[in-house]
Amino acid sequence: REIGSIVRSLGCFPTEAELHELLAKVEEEEPTGYIHLEKFLPVMTKVLLDRSYRPIPEDVLLHAFEALDEKKCGYITKEELVKYLTEE
């Protein structure tokens, strides 16, 4: 269920169709909702090495940082970033 989040956390930005294709490669013949790490690692390693999916678009990334910039000053401090990444 969380494969999209996992793949995106690795810096990939696949379409929903691409996620379904990836899932078909790593899922058991009888879908259980779980993926075995032994099947996932080689497939995901190949995806990363081949750069199979486009990276997150700059405008999406920029929008995420703008949402964190509460003071609308055009940047966030190191301390704010650490707080968001560890506490929020």
Side-chain angles (χ1 to χ4, degrees):
R1 287 176 266 169
E2 302 299 325
I3 191 139
S5 298
I6 293 167
V7 171
R8 288 182 187 100
S9 75
L10 294 171
C12 301
F13 200 69
T15 64
E16 284 301 310
E18 290 170 327
L19 274 178
H20 288 289
E21 289 174 19
L22 179 66
L23 191 56
K25 291 178 186 176
V26 297
E27 201 169 41
E28 296 297 317
E29 293 191 22
E30 286 289 322
T32 62
Y34 296 95
I35 296 171
H36 290 280
L37 188 60
E38 303 83 39
K39 284 187 111 175
F40 178 75
L41 283 180
V43 172
M44 199 61 216
T45 299
K46 181 167 176 31
V47 163
L48 291 170
L49 290 175
D50 294 348
R51 298 176 190 251
S52 300
Y53 305 129
R54 61 190 166 97
I56 296 172
E58 281 185 37
D59 62 323
V60 173
L61 195 54
L62 182 59
H63 184 68
F65 277 95
E66 286 172 346
L68 298 176
D69 181 12
E70 294 173 351
K71 299 173 195 153
K72 305 299 180 215
C73 56
Y75 63 90
I76 58 174
T77 65
K78 175 185 168 189
E79 292 76 22
E80 289 170 318
L81 182 60
V82 168
K83 177 184 173 221
Y84 290 127
L85 295 175
T86 58
E87 297 175 16
E88 300 290 327

